Each structure stands twice: as C-alpha cells, then as structure tokens.
Amino acid sequence: MQNAADEAQLKIGQLQGEVERCNVQISAFDTKSAELSEEIATLKGSVEDEVECDLSLDDILDKIITTERAIKRLGNVNQQAIEQYDELEKKTAEKTEKKNTLSREREAILAKIEGFKQMKHDAFMTAYNAINENFKKIYRLLNDGSGQLVLDDYEDPFTGGMTFEVSPKGKEVHRLKMMSGGEKSLTTLSFIFAIQQHMPAPFYALDEVDSNLDGVNVERLSQMVREICENSQFIIVSHRKPMIEAADRMMGVTVRPGDKSTLVTGVKMVE
C-alpha cells in the first residue's frame, strides 16, 4: 500500500508538472494570440478594401511552401544589388543625357549645313541671274541676236551644268557646239564681259580673241572694250585693224632674221 501511495504521489507530481507546463504554454499562446490579433487589426486598417479569398487554408499553405522552394532555388541574395542598381541607373542617366546632348548638337549642325546650302544656292542664283541679264544685253550688242544662259537643273544647279542658248541674227536657236568659230568667240566673249560687269576685275589679257570675227564684229568688240576700259585695263594680242586703232598704246614684237633676237617697239596712239 505504501508503495502504491508513493507511486501515486509521484504520478501526482508528474501531472502537476504537466499542468504547469500547459499553463505556461497557454499563457504563451494567449500572448501570441494577442500579438497576432493586434497585427491583424493593423493589417486590416492598412487595407482600404476588404480582401476576399476563396482559397482554403491547405491551399494557402501549399502555395507558401511552393513559394519558399522557388525562393531557395534563386540562391543567395546579392546584398549589394540595390547599390549596384542605383549606380547603373545613375550611369544610364548620364549616358542618356550625353546622347540627348549629342542629338541636339547634331540637329543644330544639320540645320547650319542646310542654312549654308541655302545661302550658297541663293548666292549662286543671285550671281547667275545678274550675269544672265548682262549676257543677254552684251550678246545683243555684239551679235544683233538674242541669247541666254541655261541651267541643267534650276532646283539644284550644283548637280548639273550650264550652257549657252543663243540665236544669232537671222538664225534659229542653237547650242554652243553647233556654232561657227566666230559665233563661238562672240558667245564666249559675251559671257566673259557679262561676268566682268557683275564682278569687275582691274586687269584683263585677251589673246587673239578676234581672229575668227569678221570686220563688223571686230569693230563692235573694240567699241565694247573701249567702254569697259573706263574701269579696267586690257592687254589684247591682235592683228585686226579696228582693235589696233581702238588701243591707247600699241606694242610690236619683231624677230630679227640674223640672230633670232626679238625687238619690242611701242607706239602711243593719239587721236
């Protein structure tokens, strides 16, 4: 009986220990429950709309396990990833700004190039129109005909060339390559004098430009040279009488038959 009483007493002690442990666990669970209740209340307060979920608790636990496995498969987390991302983002922003700056500079350079092209085109067309008007007047005076300068492409004159389109007195309109030697000379001289009137030069040298002209045209040419001489000087190599008579000074070059030396003489022309 005593042994039974001792065993019962021991059993009572063990049960009391179990009761104490259960009381401690219950107290801990109560504390944890209170904390969870407070956290749930906080989470509910942060959510504007009530979230409805049609998943069971087992489904939620399965998804948590699946997500944890996926996180483990990702491996170790790079703790410097955020810093590296910020650094790369900063570098990307700098590169983007440089690119935008270069794009703006490129657009500005292209605009300047277009401006220069337009200025070149305008300057050329201004000179062309003025020289063309001079050519029409001078050709009419020298040849009793009509003529003009023709561009291959008026929209973009620098991609093509320019030619003469003239009609000597009593003849049809034709191009330079179809003219006679005298007509080519008059046309070329008209062009030279047309440029001279637009951009005068102080000095000109002409070598037998009247050799293919008849007497009447040589006379006309000499008169035009006399008019231009008011603003420019001319040296003309010529054997034609009208041109020589129109000169202010005549220089002669003679080759001596004996020693093949040259003799230069000068004669000042007087009225």
Side-chain angles (χ1 to χ4, degrees):
M1 294 296 290
Q2 185 62 41
N3 290 335
D6 293 337
E7 291 178 357
Q9 189 64 36
L10 180 62
K11 188 67 174 178
I12 292 171
Q14 292 176 348
L15 292 175
Q16 287 178 345
E18 291 291 335
V19 170
E20 291 294 332
R21 286 194 294 271
C22 289
N23 290 331
V24 172
Q25 291 179 353
I26 290 172
S27 177
F29 287 145
D30 290 339
T31 302
K32 186 65 174 179
S33 176
E35 292 176 354
L36 292 175
S37 298
E38 184 179 353
E39 184 177 355
I40 290 172
T42 303
L43 292 175
K44 285 184 177 181
S46 63
V47 177
E48 296 181 358
D49 299 328
E50 185 176 353
V51 178
E52 296 183 358
C53 181
D54 56 357
L55 298 176
S56 65
L57 180 60
D58 292 335
D59 293 336
I60 294 174
L61 294 176
D62 289 340
K63 290 185 178 295
I64 291 174
I65 295 173
T66 302
T67 304
E68 289 177 348
R69 290 174 180 174
I71 292 174
K72 289 180 180 180
R73 286 197 298 269
L74 292 176
N76 296 329
V77 177
N78 183 5
Q79 300 297 331
Q80 297 180 343
I82 297 177
E83 296 179 2
Q84 293 175 354
Y85 174 80
D86 293 338
E87 184 177 355
L88 289 175
E89 187 178 29
K90 182 179 178 180
K91 290 182 179 180
T92 302
E94 293 176 354
K95 297 291 185 182
T96 302
E97 180 62 25
K98 289 181 180 179
K99 173 183 174 295
N100 295 334
T101 301
L102 291 175
S103 297
R104 291 192 296 269
E105 292 177 352
R106 176 180 178 273
E107 293 298 329
I109 291 173
L110 291 176
K112 288 183 179 180
I113 291 174
E114 290 299 323
F116 291 148
K117 287 182 178 179
Q118 187 62 42
M119 291 173 60
K120 182 175 72 171
H121 178 273
D122 295 342
F124 175 84
M125 292 306 297
T126 298
Y128 164 78
N129 291 328
I131 293 173
N132 191 27
E133 291 300 319
N134 294 338
F135 178 80
K136 293 177 181 179
K137 297 176 183 178
I138 295 172
Y139 188 83
R140 185 167 57 251
L141 292 174
L142 288 180
N143 207 42
D144 282 339
S146 60
Q148 63 178 349
L149 306 177
V150 179
L151 294 176
D152 293 340
D153 187 348
Y154 283 88
E155 296 298 327
D156 190 1
F158 303 107
T159 60
M162 185 188 72
T163 187
F164 302 100
E165 190 175 87
V166 298
S167 176
K169 184 178 180 180
K171 296 183 179 181
E172 296 181 354
V173 176
H174 50 267
R175 299 295 180 95
L176 186 66
K177 62 183 180 180
M178 300 174 63
M179 301 177 192
S180 64
E183 291 172 344
K184 289 180 179 179
S185 296
L186 287 176
T187 302
T188 305
L189 288 169
S190 298
F191 181 59
I192 293 174
F193 292 148
I195 297 175
Q196 188 273 338
Q197 289 190 5
H198 180 66
M199 300 178 61
F203 179 82
Y204 293 88
L206 305 177
D207 185 8
E208 295 192 21
V209 295
D210 54 1
S211 60
N212 293 322
L213 305 181
D214 56 24
V216 175
N217 288 328
V218 174
E219 183 69 27
R220 291 175 179 174
L221 178 60
S222 64
Q223 292 176 0
M224 179 163 290
V225 171
R226 287 298 308 172
E227 294 175 0
I228 300 175
C229 279
E230 295 180 1
N231 299 314
S232 302
Q233 291 182 323
F234 278 80
I235 288 183
I236 302 177
V237 178
S238 177
H239 300 94
R240 306 299 294 274
K241 182 178 179 181
M243 189 66 69
I244 295 174
E245 290 177 346
D248 294 323
R249 183 181 295 273
M250 180 179 65
M251 306 295 294
V253 180
T254 303
V255 179
R256 300 188 182 209
D259 54 6
K260 295 184 180 180
S261 60
T262 58
L263 176 65
V264 180
T265 59
V267 178
K268 183 177 182 180
M269 310 298 289
V270 295
E271 297 181 358

PDB file of all heavy atoms in Angstrom, residues 36-47:
ATOM      1  N   LEU A  36      -0.956  38.552 -32.484  1.00  0.00           N
ATOM      2  CA  LEU A  36      -1.493  38.317 -33.825  1.00  0.00           C
ATOM      3  C   LEU A  36      -2.775  39.092 -34.061  1.00  0.00           C
ATOM      4  O   LEU A  36      -3.019  39.624 -35.153  1.00  0.00           O
ATOM      5  CB  LEU A  36      -1.727  36.815 -34.038  1.00  0.00           C
ATOM      6  CG  LEU A  36      -0.464  35.944 -34.119  1.00  0.00           C
ATOM      7  CD1 LEU A  36      -0.842  34.454 -34.208  1.00  0.00           C
ATOM      8  CD2 LEU A  36       0.380  36.342 -35.326  1.00  0.00           C
ATOM      9  N   SER A  37      -3.612  39.150 -33.037  1.00  0.00           N
ATOM     10  CA  SER A  37      -4.845  39.918 -33.165  1.00  0.00           C
ATOM     11  C   SER A  37      -4.541  41.389 -33.430  1.00  0.00           C
ATOM     12  O   SER A  37      -5.178  42.046 -34.263  1.00  0.00           O
ATOM     13  CB  SER A  37      -5.690  39.763 -31.883  1.00  0.00           C
ATOM     14  OG  SER A  37      -6.071  38.416 -31.675  1.00  0.00           O
ATOM     15  N   GLU A  38      -3.547  41.904 -32.689  1.00  0.00           N
ATOM     16  CA  GLU A  38      -3.152  43.305 -32.897  1.00  0.00           C
ATOM     17  C   GLU A  38      -2.585  43.522 -34.302  1.00  0.00           C
ATOM     18  O   GLU A  38      -2.882  44.503 -34.974  1.00  0.00           O
ATOM     19  CB  GLU A  38      -2.119  43.697 -31.831  1.00  0.00           C
ATOM     20  CG  GLU A  38      -1.719  45.167 -31.913  1.00  0.00           C
ATOM     21  CD  GLU A  38      -0.724  45.522 -30.826  1.00  0.00           C
ATOM     22  OE1 GLU A  38      -0.450  44.660 -29.944  1.00  0.00           O
ATOM     23  OE2 GLU A  38      -0.215  46.646 -30.848  1.00  0.00           O
ATOM     24  N   GLU A  39      -1.758  42.543 -34.774  1.00  0.00           N
ATOM     25  CA  GLU A  39      -1.177  42.656 -36.120  1.00  0.00           C
ATOM     26  C   GLU A  39      -2.266  42.575 -37.193  1.00  0.00           C
ATOM     27  O   GLU A  39      -2.235  43.311 -38.187  1.00  0.00           O
ATOM     28  CB  GLU A  39      -0.143  41.556 -36.322  1.00  0.00           C
ATOM     29  CG  GLU A  39       0.589  41.659 -37.663  1.00  0.00           C
ATOM     30  CD  GLU A  39       1.665  40.580 -37.803  1.00  0.00           C
ATOM     31  OE1 GLU A  39       1.900  39.836 -36.826  1.00  0.00           O
ATOM     32  OE2 GLU A  39       2.262  40.496 -38.894  1.00  0.00           O
ATOM     33  N   ILE A  40      -3.241  41.651 -36.979  1.00  0.00           N
ATOM     34  CA  ILE A  40      -4.346  41.525 -37.932  1.00  0.00           C
ATOM     35  C   ILE A  40      -5.143  42.824 -38.005  1.00  0.00           C
ATOM     36  O   ILE A  40      -5.534  43.290 -39.076  1.00  0.00           O
ATOM     37  CB  ILE A  40      -5.247  40.337 -37.537  1.00  0.00           C
ATOM     38  CG1 ILE A  40      -4.510  39.018 -37.773  1.00  0.00           C
ATOM     39  CG2 ILE A  40      -6.548  40.360 -38.336  1.00  0.00           C
ATOM     40  CD1 ILE A  40      -5.255  37.799 -37.228  1.00  0.00           C
ATOM     41  N   ALA A  41      -5.371  43.390 -36.808  1.00  0.00           N
ATOM     42  CA  ALA A  41      -6.102  44.657 -36.785  1.00  0.00           C
ATOM     43  C   ALA A  41      -5.332  45.745 -37.528  1.00  0.00           C
ATOM     44  O   ALA A  41      -5.907  46.567 -38.263  1.00  0.00           O
ATOM     45  CB  ALA A  41      -6.369  45.063 -35.324  1.00  0.00           C
ATOM     46  N   THR A  42      -4.004  45.764 -37.347  1.00  0.00           N
ATOM     47  CA  THR A  42      -3.173  46.757 -38.050  1.00  0.00           C
ATOM     48  C   THR A  42      -3.226  46.549 -39.558  1.00  0.00           C
ATOM     49  O   THR A  42      -3.353  47.499 -40.333  1.00  0.00           O
ATOM     50  CB  THR A  42      -1.722  46.676 -37.563  1.00  0.00           C
ATOM     51  OG1 THR A  42      -1.688  46.872 -36.155  1.00  0.00           O
ATOM     52  CG2 THR A  42      -0.863  47.728 -38.247  1.00  0.00           C
ATOM     53  N   LEU A  43      -3.112  45.277 -39.992  1.00  0.00           N
ATOM     54  CA  LEU A  43      -3.162  44.979 -41.426  1.00  0.00           C
ATOM     55  C   LEU A  43      -4.520  45.330 -42.016  1.00  0.00           C
ATOM     56  O   LEU A  43      -4.619  45.855 -43.131  1.00  0.00           O
ATOM     57  CB  LEU A  43      -2.845  43.496 -41.665  1.00  0.00           C
ATOM     58  CG  LEU A  43      -1.407  43.066 -41.370  1.00  0.00           C
ATOM     59  CD1 LEU A  43      -1.260  41.554 -41.528  1.00  0.00           C
ATOM     60  CD2 LEU A  43      -0.438  43.778 -42.307  1.00  0.00           C
ATOM     61  N   LYS A  44      -5.571  45.033 -41.292  1.00  0.00           N
ATOM     62  CA  LYS A  44      -6.897  45.393 -41.774  1.00  0.00           C
ATOM     63  C   LYS A  44      -7.042  46.904 -41.917  1.00  0.00           C
ATOM     64  O   LYS A  44      -7.683  47.397 -42.838  1.00  0.00           O
ATOM     65  CB  LYS A  44      -7.962  44.850 -40.814  1.00  0.00           C
ATOM     66  CG  LYS A  44      -8.182  43.358 -40.934  1.00  0.00           C
ATOM     67  CD  LYS A  44      -9.328  42.906 -40.031  1.00  0.00           C
ATOM     68  CE  LYS A  44      -9.608  41.412 -40.204  1.00  0.00           C
ATOM     69  NZ  LYS A  44     -10.734  40.962 -39.340  1.00  0.00           N
ATOM     70  N   GLY A  45      -6.441  47.616 -40.999  1.00  0.00           N
ATOM     71  CA  GLY A  45      -6.527  49.073 -41.089  1.00  0.00           C
ATOM     72  C   GLY A  45      -5.774  49.648 -42.279  1.00  0.00           C
ATOM     73  O   GLY A  45      -6.099  50.720 -42.786  1.00  0.00           O
ATOM     74  N   SER A  46      -4.711  48.929 -42.751  1.00  0.00           N
ATOM     75  CA  SER A  46      -3.922  49.422 -43.893  1.00  0.00           C
ATOM     76  C   SER A  46      -4.540  49.066 -45.233  1.00  0.00           C
ATOM     77  O   SER A  46      -4.099  49.546 -46.269  1.00  0.00           O
ATOM     78  CB  SER A  46      -2.497  48.862 -43.821  1.00  0.00           C
ATOM     79  OG  SER A  46      -2.530  47.452 -43.939  1.00  0.00           O
ATOM     80  N   VAL A  47      -5.531  48.202 -45.228  1.00  0.00           N
ATOM     81  CA  VAL A  47      -6.182  47.796 -46.476  1.00  0.00           C
ATOM     82  C   VAL A  47      -7.486  48.569 -46.618  1.00  0.00           C
ATOM     83  O   VAL A  47      -8.341  48.538 -45.715  1.00  0.00           O
ATOM     84  CB  VAL A  47      -6.456  46.276 -46.482  1.00  0.00           C
ATOM     85  CG1 VAL A  47      -7.189  45.876 -47.755  1.00  0.00           C
ATOM     86  CG2 VAL A  47      -5.149  45.513 -46.344  1.00  0.00           C
TER      87      VAL A  47
END
